[in-house]
Amino acid sequence: DDGERAAHVGFYLIDRGLAQLERRAKACLCTLESLQRWGRHFPLSLYLGAIALLAALLTGSLLAKAQADGVPGGLLPFLGVLAVLGASHLAVALVNWLATLLATPWPLPRMDFSAGITPEARTLVVTPTLLASARNIEALEVRFLANRDDHLHFGLLTDFRDALEETLPEDAALVQLAAQQIEALNEKYRRIGGDTFFLFHRPRRWNPQEQGWMGYERKRGKLADLNALLRGDARDRFSRIVGDTALLSNVKYVITLDTDTQLPRDAARELVGAMAHPLNRARYDADRQLVREGYGILQPRVAVSLPGANRSRYARLHGSDAGIDPYTHAVSDVYQDWFQEGSFI
């Protein structure tokens, strides 16, 4: 709530309380910073207005030049349509360039969890995947070893492969093998506060559009079912859960990783620290049905690993700085910097 945000010192240093502090301190802002502040109050109007103004000026100058060169008046409307298309692309490029000068990357504040994640911020790292081999269990252990914390848990969120039948002969053996491996990890890395590793497995359901049996809504469905489970519902959507389920009601945050995505050393603490900061906590507006302040989802930048960058020539061309820790780099995105909203993909 407002009281919790205003009680944090960051509210007066980088949030809405900054203007109040500057008035009290009688601070004088430079012209560029004043323009940046003004732009943050009207980001959409300023952004679209600048594009429209530039496009209009460019189009008008082109049509004026065409008319001066003797182009018949009947052709000017058709020429104007083509000019607007070209000028708008140029205007967007110019405004985006200017926006990067006025709106710099905005690093989110975060709590210092270097000594460990607090019990109130208990977090579950899950990997939605298909249950097909033991490699996912090995990757789970690698992520755990790089991010060991008493209040950080790891789980596999699994479905069977699509099939023409609800069950296949090898299904039971695959689930049993995965369950045994999860139990072995919990035994190997036993902790006093409960299990570290979990398995959440869903059965196939009939999909009339695909005319086959599959996991309901695939990855999106898995995450939705997990979210419902953590909120105390939807246990019947999973056919097998391995791990101490008593802990699930205390999970506050979920980190979702793709099967081929790694979690660098102690990166989980950095992510949880950002989500747990009072200025980043989501405030939901029930009337407008949206998050008014803070964030409900954070999407960190993902980079290509050294082995991944060498898999093909295409990967080498588009792999950016392979092997560099992406969590220590602030990368500018025009829309996210200007509007201070995440473009979630």
Side-chain angles (χ1 to χ4, degrees):
D1 55 16
D2 282 328
E4 183 184 21
R5 294 173 68 88
H8 193 277
V9 64
F11 180 80
Y12 298 97
L13 296 177
I14 59 175
D15 205 67
R16 289 187 291 111
L18 178 59
Q20 179 183 345
L21 175 63
E22 290 171 341
R23 286 195 301 268
R24 292 285 187 90
K26 298 181 180 180
C28 182
L29 301 178
C30 64
T31 304
L32 179 59
E33 190 167 353
S34 299
L35 183 61
Q36 289 175 329
R37 297 278 184 87
W38 184 80
R40 289 173 190 157
H41 290 294
F42 312 98
L44 184 61
S45 301
L46 186 60
Y47 183 76
L48 296 180
I51 292 176
L53 178 62
L54 279 175
L57 290 175
L58 291 170
T59 302
S61 62
L62 288 172
L63 292 179
K65 175 65 175 173
Q67 190 175 28
D69 289 344
V71 175
L75 293 179
L76 287 179
F78 300 99
L79 184 60
V81 172
L82 297 176
V84 166
L85 292 175
S88 62
H89 282 282
L90 179 58
V92 169
L94 290 174
V95 170
N96 285 345
W97 174 71
L98 291 172
T100 59
L101 300 180
L102 295 176
T104 55
W106 187 275
L108 294 179
R110 65 189 64 182
M111 304 299 290
D112 182 8
F113 284 166
S114 58
I117 298 172
T118 60
E120 296 77 17
R122 188 181 297 275
T123 302
L124 175 64
V125 181
V126 294
T127 305
T129 186
L130 294 175
L131 191 58
S133 68
R135 296 183 61 185
N136 293 327
I137 307 294
E138 297 170 1
L140 199 69
E141 184 177 9
V142 171
R143 297 181 186 116
F144 161 76
L145 292 174
N147 294 269
R148 303 187 70 161
D149 193 285
D150 288 341
H151 301 105
L152 188 64
H153 307 270
F154 296 81
L156 284 182
L157 194 52
T158 61
D159 283 333
F160 287 126
R161 294 186 182 275
D162 299 354
L164 298 178
E165 301 177 5
E166 184 177 3
T167 60
L168 297 178
E170 63 270 20
D171 289 350
L174 282 173
V175 174
Q176 185 60 27
L177 176 61
Q180 290 174 352
Q181 291 175 325
I182 292 292
E183 291 169 351
L185 285 177
N186 282 323
E187 184 66 28
K188 181 179 180 180
Y189 302 103
R190 182 176 294 276
R191 65 168 61 159
I192 299 176
D195 291 336
T196 303
F197 301 93
F198 290 85
L199 173 67
F200 307 95
H201 179 72
R202 301 191 309 167
R204 295 187 184 92
R205 294 189 181 182
W206 174 251
N207 188 316
Q209 284 76 29
E210 298 287 341
Q211 289 295 301
W213 294 86
M214 63 182 62
Y216 178 68
E217 290 196 349
R218 303 188 187 279
K219 182 185 293 186
R220 179 177 61 180
K222 283 198 283 282
L223 293 172
D225 287 345
L226 176 66
N227 187 54
L229 178 68
L230 295 178
R231 299 183 62 175
D233 195 6
R235 188 179 180 87
D236 59 333
R237 302 180 196 178
F238 295 90
S239 59
R240 186 75 181 269
I241 298 178
V242 179
D244 183 9
T245 56
L247 292 171
L248 299 181
S249 61
N250 297 322
V251 170
K252 182 69 176 293
Y253 303 112
V254 175
I255 298 175
T256 305
L257 303 175
D258 285 339
T259 305
D260 57 350
T261 303
Q262 299 303 319
L263 196 62
R265 182 176 177 84
D266 294 332
R269 291 179 178 178
E270 298 288 331
L271 295 174
V272 177
M275 285 297 286
H277 195 281
L279 300 184
N280 296 334
R281 294 174 190 167
R283 296 186 59 203
Y284 182 71
D285 190 328
D287 296 331
R288 299 171 62 190
Q289 295 188 350
L290 51 79
V291 175
R292 184 160 53 92
E293 288 181 309
Y295 305 94
I297 296 175
L298 290 183
Q299 183 188 27
R301 176 174 171 240
V302 179
V304 179
S305 64
L306 283 172
N310 293 317
R311 288 177 181 170
S312 66
R313 182 171 296 179
Y314 180 86
R316 287 195 294 272
L317 287 172
H318 297 275
S320 65
D321 299 323
I324 303 300
D325 177 13
Y327 299 98
T328 61
H329 290 68
V331 178
S332 179
D333 180 281
V334 171
Y335 303 104
Q336 294 184 172
D337 294 340
W338 188 254
F339 295 99
Q340 294 189 13
E341 292 184 2
S343 301
F344 180 70
I345 301 172

